[in-house]
Amino acid sequence: MPEAFVRGIRDLGYRSNADALSEFIDNALQAYADRIDILFGYSDSSSKKPTQIAVVDNGYGMDADMIRMAVMWGGTHRESDRNGLGRYGFGLPCSAVSLGRRFTIFSQVSGKAMYSVELDLDGITTGRYADDGGNIVVPPSKPARLPNFVAEHLQRHAEWTHGTVILLDKLDRLEWTTTQGLRDNLYRKFAVTYHKLRDQAAIYIDGRFVEPCDPLFLTEQYSFFDLDEERAQPLDRICIEVRDPGDGSYLGAITLRYAWLPPSFGSIDKERDAVGLNANQRFSILKEYHGIIFSRNGRLIDVQTKTPWTTFINNDRYIKVEVEFTASLDEHFGVTTSKQQITVSRFIWGVLYSAGLPKAMEQLRLKVKEAKAKRQVELLAPAPGERRLSERAMSKATTLSAGTEVNPQWDLSLRITPHRVLFEFETSGPFFRIDRSQGARTLHINTAHRFFDEIYKSEATTPALQSALEVLLFALGDTILNEPAENAAANAQRLAAWSRRLDLALSALANHLKSRLE
């Protein structure tokens, strides 16, 4: 049974080493620490991977009996607490053994001596902690001294007179093979997870201060807010009082934050997509926090890509939604013991729906689509003094079809043309239209229609194919323009019908391709 207990408790599961260490940070914040350090210890000076990790805080500390309780599963004085970040009392021991096979808690209350309790999983399996009846018993706390690498750090960087140190060793479940990899990933995770709590405590990793990062990029002075000239664009924040549908009593509060980002927000070179070396420092945040972000009491818990009414796709990286709720709503959000995942109840989805979350997401998507279309139009525009290949080709084709004599100096570089291409964004308009304006036959391509994104500007569409599509639309449009004026209304209806049919067909094609890929 001890061996089964050890295996089971280690496999409760954390998504990452950072999620496990977050449990210690939560505890430190609830102990009113204003500084938290993640330190690494090594077996020798040549080691590239830590053999020990220490989480140090300057909170109010624990007395000797409380240290022993903290080692136990469920040992907490904050059972079912809804005011802070912890709740169940499982976080410290579960997270500790998810990283290593041994952990020690050192703690000191102001003005008193330091005590510690050690728990070694190998000792549990061999019976070291068993009493005469075979029960596993946590040993009593005893006077202790901090490990050298922790004591030396505190002497250099902080005046430490009280607080708690969690020492993890026999580390057998580290995800990263080097200190640098571990350091960088912890930094990125904590920067986002605790960005709203920066006023409560400063977090340091291996001596480096963790600069907070708002995943919506709306908070000035936070990381990457002003990385370049582009800025996140907010929608109005919404605050909701959640009440019991039966008696109307107050249950808790939800705050909704929204932002949309320019389509080149994650790019270094704004004329190219955020791919490979052209991805800037924002892009990893866009990828990792892609979906609805859920925060509890200011601490980020989960990101989900599916709702009852929509699913986030790759293009939705540039829309940001955060749902922050008070801990009194834990049951309705299905908060797990490890605070890594939520399961939103039908009741809460209904509250969010009534608060306009689906409409806000549609508005964000439309904003990004408009910005993307504008950017693509700018990138597609010919250089000053030049004309599009399709415009020049149609000019020559029109002259030849009219049977006129061709000037021997005629070529496709003439600057005056009776044909030109313009782009417009009309959500309910046809995928193209053509008219006579400013002495030319003008082809208007609708950037709001699926035709633009999925055919004209598809990743598989080459510049030559784009020109051929423009010529095709010119040819269709010229035929329409040459018909008698009394046919104009019928032609407009026909074009609208074509556009609706094309939109439905492209939507069905996209769904089919998605199902094949899955």
Side-chain angles (χ1 to χ4, degrees):
M1 289 181 62
E3 292 179 0
F5 169 78
V6 169
R7 288 195 303 271
I9 209 70
R10 297 201 82 193
D11 291 337
L12 282 177
Y14 284 86
R15 288 179 300 201
S16 69
N17 294 165
D19 286 298
L21 290 170
S22 293
E23 294 280 10
F24 306 131
I25 296 177
D26 293 348
N27 290 341
L29 289 169
Q30 287 207 251
Y32 298 101
D34 60 22
R35 174 165 178 150
I36 303 165
D37 283 271
I38 312 295
L39 306 177
F40 303 134
Y42 303 90
S43 57
D44 56 65
S45 58
S46 63
S47 297
K48 294 183 179 180
K49 183 178 181 179
T51 55
Q52 295 178 307
I53 296 176
V55 182
V56 184
D57 73 64
N58 64 351
Y60 49 64
M62 295 180 282
D63 60 28
D65 290 337
M66 188 60 213
I67 299 172
R68 189 184 186 198
M69 288 290 294
V71 173
M72 301 179 189
W73 277 265
T76 180
H77 63 288
R78 294 192 288 260
E79 170 62 26
S80 200
D81 178 31
R82 304 303 175 92
N83 296 314
L85 302 178
R87 178 179 171 187
Y88 296 103
F90 287 84
L92 192 156
C94 283
S95 57
V97 300
S98 75
L99 294 165
R101 299 186 63 82
R102 181 170 62 196
F103 70 97
T104 309
I105 302 179
F106 301 82
S107 199
Q108 179 176 332
V109 178
S110 181
K112 295 186 178 181
M114 178 176 294
Y115 286 83
S116 73
V117 173
E118 177 187 285
L119 187 67
D120 191 327
L121 295 185
D122 296 325
I124 292 179
T125 60
T126 59
R128 186 196 313 170
Y129 297 100
D131 63 10
D132 293 339
N135 299 309
I136 298 173
V137 179
V138 174
S141 59
K142 58 184 180 181
R145 296 177 58 184
L146 290 172
N148 288 338
F149 77 99
V150 177
E152 291 171 0
H153 174 86
L154 291 178
Q155 289 174 359
R156 291 194 305 268
H157 298 285
E159 296 181 1
W160 196 88
T161 58
H162 54 83
T164 299
V165 176
I166 312 296
L167 179 68
L168 311 172
D169 53 13
K170 292 188 176 181
L171 301 173
D172 59 350
R173 293 194 174 185
L174 289 185
E175 299 166 348
W176 310 101
T177 57
T178 65
T179 298
Q180 187 64 43
L182 180 62
R183 182 191 297 123
D184 290 347
N185 282 276
L186 293 181
Y187 184 98
R188 186 168 61 250
K189 179 72 173 184
F190 296 154
V192 176
T193 299
Y194 296 100
H195 75 275
K196 291 186 177 183
L197 303 175
R198 68 166 299 178
D199 294 334
Q200 296 187 26
I203 301 174
Y204 291 81
I205 298 177
D206 205 20
R208 179 187 176 191
F209 174 64
V210 177
E211 295 282 352
C213 178
D214 180 358
L216 275 66
F217 302 97
L218 291 176
T219 309
E220 292 187 35
Q221 300 179 351
Y222 280 15
S223 293
F224 314 136
F225 171 82
D226 56 357
L227 181 65
D228 51 42
E229 297 302 316
E230 292 188 321
R231 296 288 182 272
Q233 303 298 315
L235 298 186
D236 291 339
R237 181 192 301 246
I238 304 295
C239 298
I240 309 165
E241 283 190 353
V242 181
R243 296 192 173 274
D244 188 292
D247 58 19
S249 60
Y250 177 80
L251 298 177
I254 296 175
T255 301
L256 302 177
R257 284 201 308 155
Y258 303 107
W260 66 271
L261 312 174
S264 55
F265 196 73
S267 300
I268 297 173
D269 178 356
K270 301 301 181 181
E271 294 188 355
R272 297 188 292 120
D273 292 337
V275 177
L277 297 177
N278 196 48
N280 63 25
Q281 293 168 290
R282 291 167 169 162
F283 190 69
S284 61
I285 306 296
L286 300 183
K287 287 179 59 179
E288 188 169 354
Y289 299 93
H290 171 57
I292 298 181
I293 298 168
F294 290 91
S295 298
R296 173 184 181 267
N297 282 9
R299 193 263 216 200
L300 193 149
I301 290 183
D302 197 9
V303 182
Q304 296 194 0
T305 59
K306 292 185 178 181
T307 74
W309 54 82
T310 189
T311 298
F312 280 72
I313 59 176
N314 282 343
N315 287 339
D316 290 330
R317 284 176 182 160
Y318 295 92
I319 71 170
K320 294 297 175 185
V321 179
E322 182 194 52
V323 176
E324 181 175 356
F325 61 94
T326 55
S328 59
L329 295 171
D330 277 357
E331 283 77 12
H332 298 286
F333 280 91
V335 176
T336 61
T337 302
S338 61
K339 301 189 294 294
Q340 296 181 95
Q341 186 177 2
I342 63 167
T343 303
V344 183
S345 67
R346 292 179 62 183
F347 168 62
I348 291 296
W349 281 129
V351 170
L352 296 176
Y353 186 90
S354 299
L357 179 56
K359 291 183 178 179
M361 290 179 62
E362 290 178 10
Q363 186 177 357
L364 292 171
R365 284 170 168 154
L366 183 60
K367 292 285 188 182
V368 173
K369 189 173 183 179
E370 288 176 345
K372 184 178 179 180
K374 181 180 179 182
R375 173 174 176 255
Q376 290 172 337
V377 167
E378 292 172 351
L379 295 177
L380 291 171
E386 295 182 357
R387 290 179 293 119
R388 307 179 72 83
L389 181 61
S390 62
E391 294 172 344
R392 290 178 269 161
M394 287 305 298
S395 296
K396 185 169 184 179
T398 301
T399 303
L400 294 174
S401 64
T404 58
E405 182 178 352
V406 179
N407 188 316
Q409 295 182 346
W410 176 280
D411 60 35
L412 296 184
S413 64
L414 287 177
R415 298 192 177 192
I416 300 174
T417 173
H419 291 80
R420 65 176 178 176
V421 178
L422 294 179
F423 298 89
E424 61 187 9
F425 190 92
E426 296 291 342
T427 54
S428 58
F431 72 99
F432 87 98
R433 64 184 180 88
I434 195 163
D435 61 19
R436 294 185 178 92
S437 59
Q438 300 180 12
R441 296 189 177 200
T442 303
L443 170 64
H444 303 267
I445 298 178
N446 188 0
T447 59
H449 194 279
R450 284 181 181 270
F451 167 81
F452 183 78
D453 283 330
E454 300 178 26
I455 297 180
Y456 182 81
K457 196 58 177 66
S458 165
E459 293 181 359
T461 304
T462 64
L465 182 53
Q466 282 180 352
S467 297
L469 289 169
E470 292 169 6
V471 169
L472 172 65
L473 298 182
F474 266 128
L476 294 173
D478 278 356
T479 302
I480 293 173
L481 284 180
N482 289 334
E483 290 195 4
E486 57 267 24
N487 294 343
N491 286 332
Q493 291 178 355
R494 187 178 299 111
L495 184 54
W498 292 349
S499 299
R500 288 192 298 269
R501 182 68 174 174
L502 179 59
D503 181 76
L504 292 172
L506 289 175
S507 177
L509 177 63
N511 291 334
H512 175 71
L513 292 175
K514 181 180 178 181
S515 65
R516 290 288 297 273
L517 292 173
E518 291 176 348

